[in-house]
Amino acid sequence: MAQKLSDQKLLNHVAWLTSPSNAENMTSESFKALQETISACLVSTTRTAGHIAAEDLAFLRSSDPSVARQLDKQNARLLRIAGNLTRSAAAGTEVAAPELPDAEAVEDNWQGIVDVIDNLLEKADACLDEYTGVIKRLSPAQRSTPVPAAPRKALNARDYRNQDIAKPQLLFTNRPNNRDSTAFKPLLRTKPHAILPLEQSIHPLISEDRLTQYDTHFYLCMRDISPQFKQLIDSHLRYRHPYETEIVQSRYPNAAYVRADPVPYLPFESTTATFVDTPEAVQAMLAELKKATEIAIDLEHHDTHSYIGLVSLMQISTREKDWVVDTLKPWREELSVLNEVFADPIIIKVFHGAFMDMMWLQRDLGLYVVGLFDTYHASRALGYPRHSLASLLAKFANFDAQKQYQMADWRIRPLPAEMFDYARSDTHFLLNVYDNMRNELIDKSNASPDEVNLVDVVLEESKKEALQKYERPIYDRERGTGSNGWYNMLLRTPALFTKEQFAIFRAVHQWRDELARRYDESVNFIMQKSIIYNIAREMPADMAALLGCSHPISAPVRRHIGELLGVVRLAEAEGSSGPDVKEFMKAHTAGTEVFSSPHNFGKPQDFAKSSVLRPVSSFSVGPMVASIKSHVSSFWGRTVDDHGGGSISAQLSLPSLQDIRLALPLPPLTAEIFTDSNVEEDGASARLSQEPGSRVEHQYVKDRPAVNDDVFVIKELGGMRKRKATEVEEARKSVLGNDGVEQELAANGEDKERDISTNGASSELSALEKAELKSARKAQKKLEKAQRKKEEVESQARGVDPDGDPEEPFDYASAPSVLHAKPDKTDQSGRKKAFDPYSKSLNAPKGMRRSQKEIAGKSFTYRS
């Protein structure tokens, strides 16, 4: 009770002290008394807090429940006192006092607490200066005179990146639902410039069991199949693109194909843009846009503090005027009225890099573009070395875009002047860029010998981008599929995780995705990718280890750090029975042999057995199958088996798609493979009767006559070395004699030249003849050796060289010196060099060089 009264007395004194009227009327005596009172309260509080060591609190909590309740009560009271102190200190100042609902909030808002204390110390310092006379106190009249504010210092571009702003999506009429896994339905309520009515454009086909949404697993495992089959699946399992018919059938105006002088842009410095932030301003802008023949459009997107992202700004320009549209208003979906211009095929819409812009417009604003011209594809068709918008602006407008604002937080309102000018510059020059690039495309098309119309190439690529459809992000923990899945992360940054590490990696990744959806934050803001790898490698067992490998820690993760530790422990316990990375990749490879998709895991029959394919089996495929199947292949002939057992369609239980497959293995590709493409139907029953696992052979392979090739031996195992024909002939002559060989040739009729190989000659001789030849060769060699030895002995006895030259005595006087011999560099005849008795000594190991002693002073490198 005494401590509570002391704390209350301290608060009362601080509140009295911070009051401006009381501070002005305070004398030195009253201040001294107040100082002593506050000091006594602080000393008492400090002594009470030091009675128990912080290390013993956990033990006391566990030993006595009443102590735990008292500690919690005191913690709440201290937090309340700290909050009251910060609010009292920040009263009447520009500093906002942070809220302290719990102990974790103290660490999260520590910077705000430091700002309050700094502001309080500055006020105390100013008061002390006035009290000591360093600064003269102003009179009441002087205080009432307004002081001109100092010019605001321009912020750096990095200062605009991470701003603490309230989430604007909380005020939207239709707030984003991050947990919705159904098919995305277009936001259209009307469809201007429609060829196909809206009702027929967006509704999906309803199956027998009334399921209208697409299945995530099935669609992902089939996403990389043939375009025809993918179109078939999309038309039955997802909402169609509402302007698909209009985009495909659209015809660009003739102005896109005619060369014309570029229209000069208005000076950027002397013009400005209109900021559109009301429905009335939108209608006024729409009226002027309808009069234009070309408009330039760009978007600014924010994806740090939103799970799916936000279109924060839209810039639109005509030849005469620029607009910057605020797309963060609660009525943002009413901007779909701009489809009266965006979907008009007569008006050309110029974008740069519109791949993501198309999906962002559909997701947030319900806008669709018909008549798109993408300058990015134009730069690629023209072969420019760089394709960014900044490079195009520098090339055609000599304008240096301030790209440091590209990553700024575009939710800031009001927009700073720097960011406003940057946003306007993206579209202000874009129509002039379009004029120049269109002329270059026409000129290159006319000069091309291949008669390729580059304008059509760019427009077709632009149509493909306009046909992109937004789909909600999905997540699959087991297979890691989806745009935010862990499988793509593992491909980009491979790691050889053990079973436990791999389980922790997947569990933490899923926990991060769940937390991001809950707080409507991006997954990278919640936890960086490197932290997931660190946690998986370290496998922390306690809170200290987890905090050590989780830096930097975001505020949501810090609030749920205990939950994360439980996830890690549970995943480590369950991971011992799961696969490691190698086993998973092996199973994934086995699955992709059929589907050929990077998003398929496991074998294809696993998908057929799962319940996720149940809605798909009830769909009626319709007449489109007839256009994509054929009983006879124009390339392989009749290779399509209607009753194969290992096809994709059989495993997916699609009865009406059983003919869409190719039987394997394929026959050898020969010249005759194309001769029987129009084979009769007589052999069909025979092929249908064969077993599903038997080899499928082409008719040419079956009817081809067997060829009886002669068997020939290239080289016998363990045989002798290859001998020349002359050696064999001489050996045969030594055994049979010349007359015998001639008689044998005459008897066999071999009067033409023969090419005798080692094995050929050996095959013609019997084993007896081989033995005779061998003994004859040995006897001949012995005889020649004895003859040479006899001649050498006789020559030495006569003192004559065996070659016939008499031996001369050695002249030591005129012989060259051996010790001081000089090599003869000009002698290149290749004769044997003279004997050198010291040659081996030159190859001996050499001693270590004498080390240089270090000299004081600068080294040679730094000497001047």
Side-chain angles (χ1 to χ4, degrees), residues 853-864:
K853 293 184 179 180
E854 185 176 357
I855 303 175
K858 292 184 178 180
S859 64
F860 288 98
T861 305
Y862 297 97
R863 285 184 180 177
S864 56

Side-chain angles (χ1 to χ4, degrees), residues 787-807:
Q787 185 67 24
R788 286 197 303 270
K789 193 172 183 180
K790 183 179 179 181
E791 293 177 356
E792 291 177 0
V793 172
E794 294 178 354
S795 300
Q796 291 178 1
R798 294 193 304 266
V800 182
D801 187 71
D803 297 333
D805 298 332
E807 183 177 0

Side-chain angles (χ1 to χ4, degrees), residues 424-439:
R424 184 170 71 99
S425 66
D426 283 350
T427 56
H428 181 80
F429 306 96
L430 196 54
L431 291 179
N432 180 264
V433 173
Y434 157 73
D435 292 340
N436 287 276
M437 300 186 80
R438 177 202 59 208
N439 292 342

Side-chain angles (χ1 to χ4, degrees), residues 602-635:
K603 296 182 180 179
Q605 51 265 31
D606 297 337
F607 291 99
K609 296 177 183 178
S610 62
S611 60
V612 297
L613 296 179
R614 181 176 53 83
V616 183
S617 60
S618 60
F619 285 129
S620 175
V621 176
M624 187 176 178
V625 180
S627 62
I628 63 175
K629 73 174 183 177
S630 176
H631 292 284
V632 179
S633 171
S634 60
F635 185 78

Side-chain angles (χ1 to χ4, degrees), residues 159-348:
D159 298 332
Y160 294 121
R161 290 191 178 182
N162 296 319
Q163 298 290 320
D164 188 9
I165 302 173
K167 294 181 181 295
Q169 58 265 36
L170 299 179
L171 303 177
F172 291 167
T173 304
N174 294 324
R175 294 172 58 181
N177 184 5
N178 298 326
R179 302 183 184 276
D180 192 356
S181 59
T182 60
F184 175 76
K185 185 177 181 179
L187 305 178
L188 287 178
R189 289 170 289 187
T190 61
K191 186 180 178 182
H193 308 284
I195 298 177
L196 193 66
L198 178 63
E199 295 75 14
Q200 302 179 18
S201 301
I202 63 174
H203 76 280
L205 185 65
I206 302 176
S207 62
E208 296 177 359
D209 50 4
R210 312 301 298 173
L211 292 176
T212 59
Q213 308 302 342
Y214 70 100
D215 181 79
T216 298
H217 297 168
F218 175 77
Y219 174 68
L220 285 176
C221 70
M222 301 297 289
R223 66 184 302 176
D224 289 336
I225 60 174
S226 62
Q228 296 90 345
F229 198 26
K230 183 176 184 298
Q231 182 181 359
L232 177 68
I233 295 173
D234 290 348
S235 63
H236 291 78
L237 305 180
R238 297 192 301 171
Y239 288 98
R240 295 181 55 191
H241 192 295
Y243 275 94
E244 179 180 357
T245 304
E246 288 75 14
I247 293 174
V248 173
Q249 298 182 10
S250 64
R251 295 292 180 269
Y252 286 83
N254 294 331
Y257 299 91
V258 178
R259 196 183 193 286
D261 293 335
V263 178
Y265 52 83
L266 298 178
F268 185 79
E269 294 77 11
S270 60
T271 57
T272 185
T274 302
F275 190 72
V276 180
D277 57 351
T278 62
E280 294 76 17
V282 173
Q283 293 296 332
M285 177 186 67
L286 180 60
E288 295 193 42
L289 292 178
K290 290 180 179 179
K291 303 175 184 178
T293 57
E294 305 96 1
I295 62 174
I297 307 170
D298 190 32
L299 302 178
E300 301 300 340
H301 190 263
H302 177 79
D303 54 6
T304 301
H305 297 286
S306 173
Y307 183 78
I308 61 174
L310 296 170
V311 175
S312 304
L313 216 63
M314 177 167 57
Q315 306 94 273
I316 305 177
S317 295
T318 61
R319 303 283 185 180
E320 299 83 15
K321 197 171 182 181
D322 302 326
W323 291 272
V324 177
V325 184
D326 187 0
T327 58
L328 294 180
K329 294 296 182 179
W331 46 266
R332 64 198 314 241
E333 291 186 9
E334 296 183 15
L335 290 171
S336 60
V337 298
L338 294 177
N339 279 322
E340 297 181 14
V341 174
F342 281 47
D344 190 351
I346 300 178
I347 302 176
I348 297 178

Side-chain angles (χ1 to χ4, degrees), residues 411-429:
R411 304 174 304 160
I412 300 176
R413 297 294 183 273
L415 275 176
E418 302 89 347
M419 296 174 61
F420 187 84
D421 290 339
Y422 166 77
R424 184 170 71 99
S425 66
D426 283 350
T427 56
H428 181 80
F429 306 96

Side-chain angles (χ1 to χ4, degrees), residues 779-790:
Q780 184 68 23
K781 288 181 179 180
K782 290 182 180 180
L783 183 61
E784 293 177 355
K785 186 177 180 180
Q787 185 67 24
R788 286 197 303 270
K789 193 172 183 180
K790 183 179 179 181

